[in-house]
Amino acid sequence: GTTAELWLPVAVDPAPAETAPQAGPQGCARALDILAVDDDCIVLMNTVAMLEDMGHRVREATSGPAALDLLRHHDFDLIVTDYAMPGMTGAELIAAARAIRPELRVALVSGYVDLPEGGLGDVPRLGKPFDDRDLAALLAASGV
């Protein structure tokens, strides 16, 4: 038989620290209304969870047409969309979304290294896989 002892220091509750008012979620001025779009449910679920953990309000869609339907009925600050989706690519979704709301901020997430450049020059991009820091940087790059 082996005997193990674990010695832990006694914790003393420090006085509560003064906290300065914080900016909005992850450096944003305010919580954003974001539409997350991905045909892969696991990726979508993780993206939504990360965005919500940052303090944003998120709606989700699993296809371009479903995203456009939500866009017609809700006001979003940003769309974060996958590129490769059946039926409508992320680039096609961005073009259709901008036809509805030209001022809408968009960001593209993709596992593809080389994406076609047609009309996507100003769209911030994030490669898959990504973590919450990468996603926060994408939001900052999108200008919202």
Side-chain angles (χ1 to χ4, degrees), residues 54-104:
M54 291 178 201
H56 301 293
R57 294 173 297 274
V58 186
R59 297 204 63 161
E60 56 189 83
T62 57
S63 69
L68 291 173
D69 187 50
L70 284 171
L71 183 60
R72 288 183 188 98
H73 297 95
H74 301 281
D75 191 28
F76 294 102
D77 299 306
L78 174 70
I79 293 179
V80 176
T81 183
D82 183 26
Y83 177 77
M85 297 183 291
M88 178 182 275
T89 68
E92 293 166 337
L93 170 58
I94 289 169
R98 285 183 166 168
I100 296 169
R101 288 196 37 221
E103 78 288 354
L104 183 64

Side-chain angles (χ1 to χ4, degrees), residues 3-128:
T3 302
E5 290 184 27
L6 194 58
W7 291 64
L8 301 172
V10 175
V12 178
D13 288 338
E18 294 282 329
T19 56
Q22 294 181 324
Q26 293 287 326
C28 293
R30 61 185 173 84
L32 302 172
D33 290 306
I34 299 173
L35 176 56
V37 187
D38 201 306
D39 63 312
D40 184 320
C41 292
I42 299 296
V43 173
L44 181 59
M45 180 178 65
N46 287 328
T47 302
V48 168
M50 281 189 263
L51 290 167
E52 287 176 340
D53 286 347
M54 291 178 201
H56 301 293
R57 294 173 297 274
V58 186
R59 297 204 63 161
E60 56 189 83
T62 57
S63 69
L68 291 173
D69 187 50
L70 284 171
L71 183 60
R72 288 183 188 98
H73 297 95
H74 301 281
D75 191 28
F76 294 102
D77 299 306
L78 174 70
I79 293 179
V80 176
T81 183
D82 183 26
Y83 177 77
M85 297 183 291
M88 178 182 275
T89 68
E92 293 166 337
L93 170 58
I94 289 169
R98 285 183 166 168
I100 296 169
R101 288 196 37 221
E103 78 288 354
L104 183 64
R105 302 288 186 167
V106 294
L108 190 65
V109 178
S110 178
Y112 289 98
V113 176
D114 297 319
L115 293 175
E117 287 298 325
L120 294 175
D122 64 333
V123 176
R125 299 178 193 182
L126 177 60
K128 290 180 183 177

